[in-house]
Amino acid sequence: MKIKQFIIPFFIILFGFTSCTEKTTVAKKDLSSTDKTKSDAKMESFLDSLTKIMTLEEKIGQLTLMSTDWEKTGPTINENYKNLIKEGKVGNIFNAYSVKFTRELQQLAVENTRLKIPLLFGYDVIHGHRTIFPISLGESASWDLKAIENSARIAATEASAEGIHWTFAPMVDISRDARWGRSSEGAGEDVYLGSEIAKARVRGFQGDDLFATNTILACAKHYAAYGAPIAGRDYNTVDMSERELRTTYLPPFKATVDAGVSTFMTAFNDVNGVPASGNKYLLTDILREEWGFEGFVVTDYTSINELVPHGVAKDNKQAAEIALNAGVDMDMQGGAYMDYLKELIADGKVTEQQVTTAARKILALKYKLGLFSDPYRYCDETREKELLMTPEHLEAARDMARKSAVLLKNNNQTLPLSKDKKVALIGPLANDKYNIIGSWTAAGDRYTKPVTVLEGFKEKISNPANLLFTQGCEINSDNTSDFQNAINIAKKADVVVMVMGESEGMSGEAASRTNLDLPGNQKELLKAIKKLGKPIVLVLMNGRPLTLEWENENMDAILEAWFPGTMGGYAIADLIFGDANPSGKLTMTFPRNVGQIPIYYNVKNTGRPYELKGPEQRYRSRYLDVSNSPLYPFGYGLSYTTFKYANFAVDKKTYAFKETINISVTVTNTGTFKGEEIVQLYMRDMVASVTLPLKELKRFEKVMLKPNESKKITFTLTSDDLAFYTKDMSFKAEAGEFKLFVGTNSEALIETNFTLK
Ligand code: BGC
């Protein structure tokens, strides 16, 4: 009897496998729509057969994701994960990579479970897998959508060659609060730029064919509003208006749905009193019903269980009930679904149909990846040998690091340096392999592979005797024992380059800070060197905006390099010695002090705006002790050359709704270096039914110009781009006067105007 029961379902599965193999030959991007419908129908019938024969326990297994003990990315580890795989209780695994290990675990599932359903392997492939690119905030400063897409593409190629099917990226949380350590993982403060980058990353990870063995599932995280915790403290409460949520924090998530993202991850925080991991409004009403998302939703690490300390569930069982009813498909690490869904069905709190629906979404993506046709198709030693850290990948990482760096200051053209100068290279990050690749570095090697600034400089400086190096101080300590060595070599040099900043662990998850000065005694060392009167170039590595007022006053040049990745040292040397010209622009505002935070460019005017001139300044929206302006605004970044903007115009003065608004401006390279400019277009709606920002980024374009070269840049907008949440919360444009601004950053702008009728 037992045997009979087994043979029938197994036959159906085999039949399913066969149809899936057939699909593999046609599941390419040139599928005609009829072929697509046919292959979708095949998948649906496969899933019908499969879910029909699955037991409830087997379905719950598909809803469960567990970490291995290879890496710890959260508070708990379940040492028993291998047995749970064999028992079919865990259908998905994260923190496992390499062909050997993923094959070993896949075998446990395929050879021990009744239906041989393959595991799905997820991992935090955030800014590279083996070849580490600059941290995501750094990449965003390139404003280079093609390069960002390519970086994600390379990460996917390497990760999939090591058995991974799914990345927990992109993180698309808007962040306007530099205290929040996870600012480093996103694309900064702006909605438009953040949404464009979110789409580029999804395209890069997923490509246009999930079945291809070099593409992986992307995951938009952390849904939602995780970037706005009160006081910038990680995991803290989020309380914001519906208008703000929809205007600022949700659009990048919606953008990923439009780009076809396969999965979503819930956030740890609550949103207006309801934890995101049990939030039906976010997960079902908006995500599924409004946006039409069809993939699956995974929680963040144990965030179902965290509904208990949040105080909305009395125990893990009730937490599981809330999560499933809210629309969570997969439980990461907490085991609440594994432990309680069966009981909850028996108690009538949730239905088996809900479990089946969730399991089906997960199985569908396993099918699309081709895992049912061959569970080991991502476990190929040859690909693993050939595709990791290739020269092409390393070159792309170097290029991305050059594009990400932002030149914050360059007095008297201190930079670029001549290769014949005598250089004192000082600082805790000048020869540091461990920190240069930043946090969330997947399988990246921190010990041997990264290229330090010292190594980069050695390749550039003509006479090796002209390069002097000492560390000078540590990142975060009061040890001054190397200060004197630093002073001594600085005295001998023509120019001093100081490489300073944060350690990798000072930004990223659970790394909020209330003091954003250079940590430890780094500033003290800078002050000691400053006394020598030599030109000083400060190179910064950090994961968020820092407070740099003193440095801005006292350094001759400042280059913000973020954590630039495996090839960081070469890229920095390329920029410092003029083999490349900095072109990055800030995607997060740099405050003057922590008291200004949250600070961002697209502020509203208020009823009492601060004006620099005018008789009455006291009763204005301002501070008594610091100006309203930031140290470095959004969109800011210098070049070794200069650019002039002229002939900014619209083709008409009045436009009808839906009519194309043609905008043009001429940009000229007025300096002596070839350079790339990021031309930024902003807009202001002058009078509307609700208060709106003084400017909002609407378009941008990167343009490379030789000295004296001019280019006409054109942009188009329609009334759709002018839409906002009106007084009654409908999303549309209102007729009236508009201003447009264009320029090199969010403050240095020229303007024109038009009317929408
Ligand atoms: C983080 C996520 C990450 C997950 C898995 C969590 O702690 O918040 O961003 O994807 O761990 O490592």
Side-chain angles (χ1 to χ4, degrees):
M1 176 64 183
K2 263 194 177 163
I3 294 175
K4 211 172 166 194
Q5 263 175 355
F6 181 72
I7 288 173
I8 295 166
F10 192 60
F11 171 76
I12 296 171
I13 292 300
L14 275 182
F15 175 74
F17 280 2
T18 320
S19 8
C20 191
T21 321
E22 261 171 51
K23 170 191 178 280
T24 65
T25 53
V26 290
K28 294 281 174 264
K29 71 173 173 209
D30 56 351
L31 273 184
S32 71
S33 60
T34 342
D35 288 342
K36 171 110 181 41
T37 319
K38 269 195 209 153
S39 76
D40 285 353
K42 264 193 177 160
M43 179 179 82
E44 295 307 331
S45 98
F46 172 77
L47 294 174
D48 284 344
S49 322
L50 181 56
T51 47
K52 249 182 225 141
I53 58 163
M54 285 172 82
T55 62
L56 177 57
E57 288 82 355
E58 283 163 343
K59 288 179 206 161
I60 295 171
Q62 292 307 305
L63 272 50
T64 300
L65 169 66
M66 286 280 170
S67 174
T68 72
D69 49 2
W70 266 36
E71 219 158 288
K72 200 163 182 254
T73 52
T76 59
I77 287 288
N78 187 330
E79 304 286 346
N80 194 32
Y81 67 93
K82 287 190 183 168
N83 287 330
L84 293 171
I85 295 172
K86 283 203 227 161
E87 291 162 21
K89 290 191 171 156
V90 165
N92 313 282
I93 283 290
F94 69 116
N95 290 336
Y97 59 88
S98 82
V99 165
K100 189 163 173 277
F101 191 37
T102 55
R103 180 182 284 276
E104 177 198 328
L105 298 180
Q106 193 65 287
Q107 253 163 348
L108 291 183
V110 172
E111 292 178 10
N112 292 286
T113 60
R114 186 179 73 105
L115 296 176
K116 307 178 181 311
I117 298 176
L119 294 172
L120 180 73
F121 289 102
Y123 195 39
D124 289 281
V125 180
I126 310 293
H127 53 110
H129 177 68
R130 290 266 175 190
T131 305
I132 303 300
F133 284 71
I135 56 164
S136 308
L137 182 65
E139 284 197 348
S140 74
S142 73
W143 299 51
D144 193 323
L145 300 177
K146 279 208 185 98
I148 291 172
E149 179 176 338
N150 189 41
S151 157
R153 182 86 296 285
I154 288 171
T157 301
E158 293 192 353
S160 55
E162 287 211 276
I164 290 158
H165 313 131
W166 175 30
T167 176
F168 303 139
M171 183 191 105
V172 304
D173 297 308
I174 294 294
S175 169
R176 294 163 160 187
D177 192 328
R179 293 169 298 183
W180 189 53
R182 302 198 82 170
S183 304
S184 61
E185 294 174 51
E189 72 188 43
D190 185 63
V191 183
Y192 174 71
L193 179 59
S195 302
E196 293 299 303
I197 291 177
K199 286 190 274 185
R201 290 193 165 129
V202 171
R203 286 195 300 268
F205 289 129
Q206 295 194 163
D208 49 19
D209 178 11
L210 284 179
F211 188 78
T213 47
N214 64 353
T215 58
I216 56 180
L217 309 177
C219 179
K221 74 183 189 186
H222 309 81
Y223 185 65
Y226 183 42
I230 289 175
R233 180 158 49 82
D234 207 3
Y235 318 128
N236 203 8
T237 309
V238 172
D239 205 322
M240 67 170 63
S241 68
E242 173 86 6
R243 180 180 304 286
E244 181 63 344
L245 182 69
R246 286 187 177 266
T247 302
T248 307
Y249 292 87
L250 294 189
F253 286 99
K254 168 69 163 55
T256 65
V257 175
D258 295 342
V261 75
S262 298
T263 73
F264 256 58
M265 186 189 292
T266 63
F268 287 122
N269 53 282
D270 66 333
V271 182
N272 302 334
V274 183
S277 299
N279 196 315
K280 180 172 172 294
Y281 179 59
L282 288 174
L283 298 174
T284 300
D285 302 358
I286 297 183
L287 181 59
R288 300 254 177 227
E289 284 165 18
E290 263 186 50
W291 297 350
F293 174 66
E294 288 178 350
F296 71 78
V297 172
V298 64
T299 65
D300 204 343
Y301 207 106
T302 59
S303 66
I304 295 184
N305 317 54
E306 291 168 25
L307 299 180
V308 178
H310 266 298
V312 299
K314 64 176 186 298
D315 52 22
N316 286 349
K317 181 173 171 186
Q318 194 188 4
E321 174 193 334
I322 294 173
L324 192 73
N325 284 332
V328 167
D329 301 305
M330 190 189 281
D331 174 0
M332 184 195 286
Q333 191 62 11
Y337 278 5
M338 179 168 78
D339 294 341
Y340 298 110
L341 281 185
K342 206 173 164 188
E343 276 179 43
L344 286 166
I345 292 170
D347 296 349
K349 298 286 186 190
V350 301
T351 63
E352 178 157 1
Q353 186 51 48
Q354 283 174 282
V355 172
T356 309
T357 305
R360 194 181 171 112
K361 283 180 234 153
I362 295 156
L363 294 166
L365 284 165
K366 290 187 178 183
Y367 181 101
K368 286 186 181 162
L369 289 165
L371 293 174
F372 285 106
S373 64
D374 176 5
Y376 303 106
R377 60 195 302 270
Y378 299 83
C379 298
D380 173 344
E381 267 95 11
T382 318
R383 290 184 68 237
E384 188 178 44
K385 273 196 203 95
E386 286 171 358
L387 295 178
L388 304 182
M389 301 193 87
T390 63
E392 187 203 326
H393 295 180
L394 292 170
E395 189 45 47
R398 179 172 181 162
D399 192 44
M400 191 77 220
R402 287 190 295 244
K403 288 185 160 134
S404 303
V406 183
L407 184 63
L408 298 176
K409 182 174 178 187
N410 194 19
N411 255 18
N412 305 321
Q413 301 215 321
T414 307
L415 290 176
L417 300 183
S418 138
K419 292 171 186 162
D420 300 326
K421 284 252 161 74
K422 192 165 210 160
V423 177
L425 179 64
I426 300 170
L429 287 152
N431 194 30
D432 181 322
K433 287 188 190 287
Y434 189 88
N435 289 292
I436 195 168
I437 60 173
S439 66
W440 288 117
T441 44
D445 168 335
R446 288 190 182 279
Y447 300 96
T448 60
K449 298 284 194 307
V451 177
T452 69
V453 178
L454 178 63
E455 289 163 340
F457 274 29
K458 280 185 184 158
E459 304 267 303
K460 302 284 179 190
I461 291 194
S462 344
N463 176 358
N466 278 344
L467 179 58
L468 311 170
F469 164 72
T470 193
Q471 189 179 313
C473 65
E474 289 159 17
I475 295 176
N476 196 8
S477 91
D478 54 8
N479 179 359
T480 54
S481 59
D482 202 37
F483 268 39
Q484 197 52 50
N485 289 336
I487 292 166
N488 293 346
I489 64 164
K491 275 185 189 156
K492 291 185 199 145
D494 303 316
V495 57
V496 186
V497 178
M498 314 276 298
V499 190
M500 300 191 144
E502 298 181 299
S503 65
E504 58 86 26
M506 294 180 92
S507 57
E509 187 174 353
S512 294
R513 296 174 62 201
T514 60
N515 178 339
L516 299 181
D517 290 346
L518 283 173
N521 59 9
Q522 297 185 64
K523 202 194 275 188
E524 224 182 286
L525 179 59
L526 279 183
K527 285 183 177 165
I529 303 286
K530 169 78 185 168
K531 283 195 192 128
L532 307 177
K534 305 270 174 156
I536 310 180
V537 176
L538 175 62
V539 175
L540 291 167
M541 290 185 197
N542 45 283
R544 52 147 69 81
L546 296 177
T547 44
L548 300 167
E549 275 218 299
W550 184 89
E551 291 78 356
N552 184 54
E553 284 286 302
N554 292 284
M555 299 294 102
D556 298 276
I558 306 179
L559 183 70
E560 173 58 80
W562 315 106
F563 291 111
T566 309
M567 299 296 274
Y570 287 145
I572 290 170
D574 290 340
L575 294 166
I576 295 280
F577 294 97
D579 292 333
N581 187 352
S583 60
K585 306 264 191 182
L586 298 179
T587 57
M588 260 185 101
T589 303
F590 273 45
R592 292 176 189 279
N593 64 28
V594 172
Q596 288 185 313
I597 294 174
I599 184 167
Y600 47 93
Y601 83 94
N602 49 342
V603 290
K604 296 178 177 182
N605 206 30
T606 81
R608 291 186 175 189
Y610 181 60
E611 281 143 21
L612 290 173
K613 287 182 213 117
E616 178 51 85
Q617 293 303 314
R618 172 84 203 193
Y619 296 100
R620 294 278 165 183
S621 178
R622 56 177 290 223
Y623 302 102
L624 293 181
D625 56 348
V626 67
S627 85
N628 285 1
S629 72
L631 183 61
Y632 305 120
F634 174 83
Y636 174 82
L638 304 172
S639 161
Y640 296 152
T641 191
T642 44
F643 299 100
K644 191 176 133 239
Y645 285 73
N647 310 325
F648 183 36
V650 275
D651 62 338
K652 289 169 71 175
K653 277 291 151 198
T654 302
Y655 298 90
F657 279 73
K658 300 283 176 195
E659 196 181 343
T660 303
I661 304 164
N662 290 299
I663 304 154
S664 59
V665 64
T666 307
V667 184
T668 307
N669 181 339
T670 47
T672 53
F673 289 83
K674 180 179 159 198
E676 211 168 4
E677 170 70 325
I678 300 169
V679 181
Q680 302 161 40
L681 179 79
Y682 297 85
M683 185 209 82
R684 178 179 179 190
D685 187 335
M686 299 305 289
V687 179
S689 59
V690 295
T691 57
L692 291 173
L694 286 169
K695 52 197 124 167
E696 290 170 87
L697 183 71
K698 286 292 165 189
R699 293 284 186 273
F700 60 89
E701 190 166 320
K702 281 188 90 162
V703 54
M704 178 64 94
L705 292 170
K706 292 193 250 48
N708 296 320
E709 193 186 357
S710 291
K711 260 189 201 155
K712 185 172 169 186
I713 310 291
T714 57
F715 298 108
T716 59
L717 297 174
T718 72
S719 52
D720 289 346
D721 300 298
L722 315 182
F724 61 95
Y725 288 95
T726 60
K727 204 168 184 181
D728 66 2
M729 286 304 282
S730 52
F731 189 70
K732 59 176 192 229
E734 289 176 349
E737 300 297 312
F738 291 80
K739 269 191 184 173
L740 287 173
F741 311 88
V742 76
T744 189
N745 66 57
S746 64
E747 286 186 356
L749 298 165
I750 52 175
E751 64 178 72
T752 185
N753 62 309
F754 68 88
T755 305
L756 180 70
K757 263 203 177 143

